[in-house]
Amino acid sequence: TLDAKLEVSEYSRESSSNDDWRAQLDLTIPLFEHQGIQADVAKARSVMLKQRSMLLDEQARTRQRVLELWQNIRLLKTRREQMQLALNYRELSLDRNRALYEMEVATNLGDAMTAISEVRYQQAKTDFELALAWMELQLLTENKIETGDTQ
């Protein structure tokens, strides 16, 4: 411990032994530590190490979640491309079935319309899941992420 003391005095008689100003510093260094101090230091150190391990664990979980989200985004982008190809195929099939229905050759126009509705539903579901994944990734990284998706 370090203690400081400052004294200012004024004397009515002049003397060579009296000081008008006096300053004093006391430095106390213990030669040995008390067991209670060592226990407090050890306890504080263990709390700090526990908090650090919890932080590192949370960082590892966050990194793992970011990786999973990134992989899911890549999968959803691929699924979106598949849905676009399936939609193109179903639209061609619908046109063919519509032509056959108008020629009164076949009556499966409803099946084709149902199939195209299912593909559009799956496409919307995939777009929604992709948007959610991008938002979660943006929240985890605390950065604005440009997705580059225009669809």
Side-chain angles (χ1 to χ4, degrees), residues 27-148:
L27 177 63
T28 306
I29 300 173
L31 296 177
F32 65 94
E33 288 186 355
H34 188 265
Q35 292 295 331
I37 293 173
Q38 289 178 348
D40 290 343
V41 169
K43 184 176 180 181
R45 182 173 172 77
S46 70
V47 168
M48 186 223 22
L49 290 175
K50 182 179 178 183
Q51 293 294 326
R52 180 168 168 78
S53 70
M54 289 171 56
L55 174 67
L56 292 174
D57 187 45
E58 191 61 36
Q59 285 176 339
R61 273 190 261 145
T62 302
R63 285 187 186 109
Q64 180 65 31
R65 183 64 186 143
V66 167
L67 176 63
E68 290 169 359
L69 282 170
W70 186 250
Q71 290 172 341
N72 193 28
I73 287 170
R74 292 185 64 191
L75 178 72
L76 289 169
K77 282 183 173 183
T78 303
R79 189 181 306 160
R80 183 199 293 171
E81 292 172 6
Q82 291 173 345
M83 290 295 121
Q84 186 59 44
L85 291 173
L87 182 63
N88 292 342
Y89 173 76
R90 292 297 177 194
E91 285 176 351
L92 290 173
S93 177
L94 178 63
D95 290 341
R96 182 180 62 91
N97 286 340
R98 188 176 288 133
L100 291 174
Y101 180 77
E102 289 174 0
M103 293 183 343
E104 297 181 0
V105 174
T107 59
N108 60 355
L109 181 62
D111 294 339
M113 293 175 86
T114 302
I116 202 165
S117 295
E118 176 64 26
V119 169
R120 285 185 179 154
Y121 166 73
Q122 291 296 331
Q123 192 176 32
K125 183 178 171 184
T126 301
D127 287 343
F128 179 72
E129 289 174 2
L130 185 59
L132 282 178
W134 275 117
M135 289 304 294
E136 188 176 351
L137 184 63
Q138 185 172 334
L139 286 172
L140 282 175
T141 59
E142 296 179 351
N143 293 325
K144 175 77 172 125
I145 298 174
E146 295 295 326
T147 62

